């Protein structure tokens, strides 16, 4: 051992190990020494046990109250015993022992100790709410909804002559700016629970016609009319007529907007892929619009209006109107009106007199009917026959599915036979498979059509469940109030009423103006 390189400390360890070995051979003693050193290393690597929180000696009766949402914690501190002094660390330790580890109100804790605030709850910890981010958005540098309706004046009258479906831009005009998303901030509770802010998202670049993008700014590529449709900027040409349109012209068809700055005589037909705007009077004309119809001075004389969008007119008399959106007018007289959204009459009169008016969601009028008790039918919600139609559609859908299932089983069996026989398959089987395949495609097409029809009817019925009729003025005798499949006939004059349908019964409530 004298010639070894062991240090004195290592020699002492070896001697101790040899002594423990009690006369064992040197190899056994060395093995015992190695085992002891490995045990010491393993013990050194074991983590120390967590030290318990410092026990505080706060007086009996002290308690901590944490709100259910863990956003605030309140400490009720009772006076200490004689010769005992609280420290801020005592209070913090008490909070830690009770699971409140974040958001300490340091100044309140210090004040409780220094000013000896006892026997009342004090806010000692407060969490931080997450701050939501802001999604990216487009700022339009024009008014995309400017053409949607007439201007309502301060005195309550309506200026239908102010309506315009036209917003012009010139090539190079700045039309929109994109503002990028701003991320929010995470929060936390007093018990150190993280409250993550929902991530803010950016929108994809805007698509559209007649625009160009440079660094998030959009410019018009050409002159024309601008609007936003389905989130896309669209710049289109407009067909505008200065003057009257008579029967000699007869028909106007245009893929964009049609604007007439004059009168339109009866017998004229106008078809527009987008909006129709007439600033003069309209006789018995036929108007078909892929967008809105705006009539500054109304329509009369047995005409027809069909619009996928909204219809706005000073008055509608002896005219059939079908709108995919709302119908709004000052007076509707002896007309047949149907809207998939609302029918609204406002302005000086706001009246519906005679005829039949239907709206899926609501009818809002100032006056309904008149003193001579002309029959006026107001109906909102889904049509009475809609429920029976839905049952029939569902029956057809089930029947078609059953036919398709049987056909698939028949085709599967024939295909098994074809795989088994190969070239020996009968010609009749081949012909049948071809016919069955054609029939299968027909069934799938029929199911697709029925499914769309069923879905549309279900959505219509759902949209009409909360429909109502509101007459914010005089409601005359002989007016028919009809909601969904229910109806009632007014047997006396009344006013300021709102009608809804609950469980198959029409209920009326008085409109109260503060």
């Amino acid at each position: 051992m004298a010639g070894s390189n062991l240090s004195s400390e290592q020699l002492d360890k070896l001697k101790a190990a040899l002594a423990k070995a009690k006369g064992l051979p040197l190899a056994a003693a060395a093995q015992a020494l190695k085992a002891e050193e490995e045990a010491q290393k393993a013990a050194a690597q074991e983590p120390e046990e967590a030290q318990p929180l410092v026990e505080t000696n706060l007086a009996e009766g002290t308690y901590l109250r944490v709100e259910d949402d863990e956003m605030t914690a309140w400490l009720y501190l009772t006076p200490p015993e004689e010769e005992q002094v609280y420290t801020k660390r005592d209070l913090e330790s008490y909070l830690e022992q009770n699971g409140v580890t974040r958001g300490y109100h340091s100044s309140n804790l210090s004040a409780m100790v220094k000013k000896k605030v006892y026997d009342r709850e004090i806010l000692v910890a407060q969490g931080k709410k997450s701050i939501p981010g802001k999604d990216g958005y487009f700022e339009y540098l024009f008014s995309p909804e400017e053409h949607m309706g007439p201007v309502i004046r301060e005195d309550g009258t309506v200026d239908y002559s102010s309506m315009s479906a036209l917003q012009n831009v010139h090539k190079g005009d700045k039309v929109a700016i994109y503002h990028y998303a701003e991320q929010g901030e995470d929060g936390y509770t007093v018990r150190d629970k993280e409250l993550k802010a929902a991530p803010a998202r950016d929108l994809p670049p805007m698509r559209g016609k007649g625009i160009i993008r440079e660094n998030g700014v959009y410019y018009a590529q050409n002159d024309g009319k601008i609007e936003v449709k389905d989130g896309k900027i669209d710049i289109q040409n407009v067909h505008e007529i200065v003057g009257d349109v008579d029967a000699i012209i007869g028909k106007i068809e245009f893929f964009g907007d049609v604007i007439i700055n004059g009168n339109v005589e009866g017998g004229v037909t106008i078809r527009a892929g987008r909006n129709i705007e007439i600033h003069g009077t309209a006789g018995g004309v036929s108007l078909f619009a892929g967008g809105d119809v705006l009539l500054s001075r109304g329509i009369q004389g047995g005409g027809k209006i069909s619009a996928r969008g909204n219809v706005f007119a000073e008055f509608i008399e002896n005219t059939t109107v079908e709108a995919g959106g709302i119908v709004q007018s000052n007076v509707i007289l002896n007309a047949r009106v149907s809207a998939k959204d609302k029918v609204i009459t406002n302005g000086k009169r706001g009246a519906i007199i005679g005829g039949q008016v239907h709206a899926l969601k609501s009818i809002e009028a100032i006056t309904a009917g008149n003193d001579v008790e002309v029959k006026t039918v107001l109906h909102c919600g889904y049509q009475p026959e809609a429920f029976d139609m839905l049952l029939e559609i569902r029956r057809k859908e089930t029947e078609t599915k059953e036919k398709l299932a049987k056909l698939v089983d028949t085709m599967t069996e024939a295909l098994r036979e074809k795989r088994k026989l190969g070239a020996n398959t009968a010609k009749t089987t081949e012909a049948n498979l071809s016919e069955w395949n054609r029939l299968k495609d027909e069934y799938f097409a029929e199911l697709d059509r029925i499914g769309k029809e069923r879905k549309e009817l279900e959505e219509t019925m759902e949209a009409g469940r909360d429909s109502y009729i509101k007459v914010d003025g005089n409601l005359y005798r002989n007016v028919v109030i009809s909601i969904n499949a229910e109806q009632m006939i007014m047997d006396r004059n009344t006013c300021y009423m709102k009608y809804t349908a609950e469980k198959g019964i029409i209920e009326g409530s008085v409109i109260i103006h503060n």
Side-chain angles (χ1 to χ4, degrees):
M1 299 288 294
S4 72
N5 295 324
L6 296 174
S7 64
S8 59
E9 182 179 354
Q10 290 173 325
L11 287 172
D12 290 340
K13 289 182 180 179
L14 182 57
K15 290 176 182 178
L18 290 173
K20 290 180 182 179
K22 295 181 180 181
L24 291 174
L26 183 59
Q31 187 175 1
L33 175 62
K34 183 177 180 181
E36 183 174 340
E37 288 181 341
E38 289 178 352
Q40 289 176 352
K41 288 181 181 179
Q45 292 177 355
E46 290 181 0
E48 296 183 2
E49 293 185 3
Q51 296 297 319
L53 293 171
V54 177
E55 292 292 339
T56 60
N57 54 352
L58 302 185
E60 185 177 353
T62 294
Y63 67 84
L64 180 67
R65 181 173 64 85
V66 180
E67 297 286 357
D68 292 340
D69 60 2
E70 299 184 358
M71 293 303 291
T72 54
W74 305 77
L75 179 61
Y76 182 95
L77 190 62
T78 54
E81 299 178 359
E82 294 183 4
E83 299 181 357
Q84 182 184 8
V85 177
Y86 291 150
T87 66
K88 184 179 179 181
R89 181 56 192 156
D90 289 334
L91 305 190
E92 292 176 343
S93 297
Y94 183 76
L95 299 183
E96 292 171 359
Q97 291 175 33
N98 287 276
V100 175
T101 59
R102 194 168 183 183
Y104 290 168
H105 202 307
S106 183
S107 59
N108 281 6
L109 290 169
S110 297
M112 292 180 76
V113 172
K114 292 180 181 179
K115 298 181 180 181
K116 300 180 180 180
V117 181
Y118 306 130
D119 297 329
R120 62 190 178 101
E121 289 187 351
I122 301 296
L123 179 67
V124 292
Q126 189 163 12
K128 176 186 174 184
K129 292 183 178 180
S130 60
I131 301 175
K134 190 174 183 180
D135 290 338
Y137 67 97
F138 290 100
E139 176 190 358
Y140 299 114
L141 303 182
F142 58 98
S143 301
E145 304 299 329
E146 184 177 331
H147 71 283
M148 289 302 292
V151 172
I152 300 177
R153 303 185 184 95
E154 292 183 2
D155 62 0
T157 59
V158 182
D159 179 14
Y160 284 87
S161 64
S162 66
M163 297 184 298
S164 175
L166 182 63
Q167 291 187 80
N168 288 312
V169 293
H170 298 287
K171 182 177 180 179
D173 284 353
K174 190 185 296 185
V175 296
I177 300 174
Y178 180 69
H179 296 268
Y180 290 93
E182 299 176 7
Q183 298 301 324
E185 296 181 15
D186 295 339
Y188 55 83
T189 69
V190 296
R191 296 197 186 278
D192 201 20
K193 177 182 177 181
E194 293 292 332
L195 302 177
K196 293 291 185 181
R201 294 177 173 83
D202 273 310
L203 297 174
M206 181 181 291
R207 296 166 56 196
K209 297 178 181 179
I211 58 172
I212 187 172
R213 178 169 63 101
E214 295 181 7
N215 299 321
V217 180
Y218 293 80
Y219 299 90
Q221 282 187 308
N222 50 268
D223 296 344
K225 176 187 174 296
I226 186 169
E227 71 175 8
V228 176
K229 190 173 183 180
D230 298 329
K232 301 176 184 178
I233 288 181
D234 195 4
I235 300 176
Q236 293 281 354
N237 293 328
V238 177
H239 179 58
E240 187 169 5
I241 296 175
V242 179
D244 299 336
V245 176
D246 54 27
I248 296 175
I249 295 178
K251 182 185 293 185
I252 297 173
E253 294 184 346
F254 187 65
F255 67 92
D257 295 275
V258 174
I259 299 176
I260 299 172
N261 295 301
N263 303 320
V264 181
E265 292 183 0
V268 173
T269 298
I270 301 175
R271 298 180 184 273
R274 300 168 71 83
N275 305 310
I276 297 175
E277 183 176 331
I278 300 175
H279 291 291
T281 60
V285 300
S286 298
L287 307 177
F288 302 90
D292 299 340
V293 173
L294 300 93
L295 307 175
S296 299
R297 298 179 62 183
I299 183 172
Q300 63 181 351
K304 180 177 182 180
I305 300 173
S306 178
R308 290 187 180 179
N310 309 307
V311 174
F312 299 101
E314 172 63 29
F315 64 87
I316 299 172
E317 181 179 350
N318 293 316
T319 303
T320 300
V321 179
E322 297 176 356
I326 70 172
V327 174
Q328 184 173 342
S329 180
N330 183 12
V331 176
I332 298 177
L333 179 61
N334 294 322
R336 191 174 188 88
V337 177
S338 178
K340 288 188 176 179
D341 196 331
K342 300 179 179 181
V343 173
I344 302 170
T345 57
N346 52 15
K348 291 182 179 180
R349 297 184 63 185
I352 301 175
I353 303 171
Q356 182 171 334
V357 174
H358 161 76
L360 180 59
K361 294 183 179 179
S362 67
I363 296 174
E364 300 176 12
I366 297 175
T367 301
N370 61 6
D371 287 327
V372 299
E373 300 179 6
V374 61
K375 186 174 181 180
T376 305
V377 179
L378 307 181
H379 177 271
C380 68
Y382 56 83
Q383 298 288 1
E385 63 273 14
F387 188 74
D388 291 336
M389 291 173 60
L390 181 60
L391 291 178
E392 178 62 18
I393 288 172
R394 287 175 175 171
R395 185 194 66 78
K396 287 183 179 179
E397 188 174 35
T398 301
E399 183 181 275
T400 305
K401 286 181 178 179
E402 290 175 353
K403 289 180 180 179
L404 180 61
K406 290 179 180 178
L407 180 63
V408 169
D409 289 342
T410 302
M411 292 180 67
T412 301
E413 188 64 31
L415 287 170
R416 287 197 189 117
E417 180 184 346
K418 181 179 179 180
R419 281 195 296 269
K420 182 178 179 181
L421 299 176
N424 296 324
T425 302
K427 292 182 179 181
T428 54
T429 301
E430 293 282 3
N432 286 337
L433 280 171
S434 178
E435 176 62 20
W436 291 336
N437 194 55
R438 184 193 61 77
L439 190 58
K440 173 179 65 68
D441 291 340
E442 286 185 3
Y443 284 158
F444 274 118
E446 179 71 4
L447 280 175
D448 184 59
R449 184 191 63 79
I450 292 174
K452 289 179 180 179
E453 190 175 346
R454 173 184 52 77
K455 183 179 179 182
E456 183 178 349
L457 193 54
E458 287 173 343
E459 290 175 350
T460 298
M461 294 184 68
E462 183 62 31
R465 291 189 188 280
D466 297 324
S467 58
Y468 63 89
I469 296 173
K470 183 172 74 171
V471 180
D472 204 4
N474 293 323
L475 176 59
Y476 290 91
R477 187 174 181 271
N478 207 32
V479 171
V480 178
I481 299 294
S482 181
I483 302 176
N484 296 328
E486 295 75 41
Q487 77 170 26
M488 60 182 288
I489 300 175
M490 303 304 299
D491 57 2
R492 61 184 176 84
N493 295 344
T494 185
C495 59
Y496 303 110
M497 295 295 294
K498 179 180 179 179
Y499 296 94
T500 57
E502 298 290 340
K503 297 180 180 179
I505 300 175
I506 296 178
E507 297 181 351
S509 59
V510 178
I511 300 171
I512 299 175
H513 293 283
N514 296 325

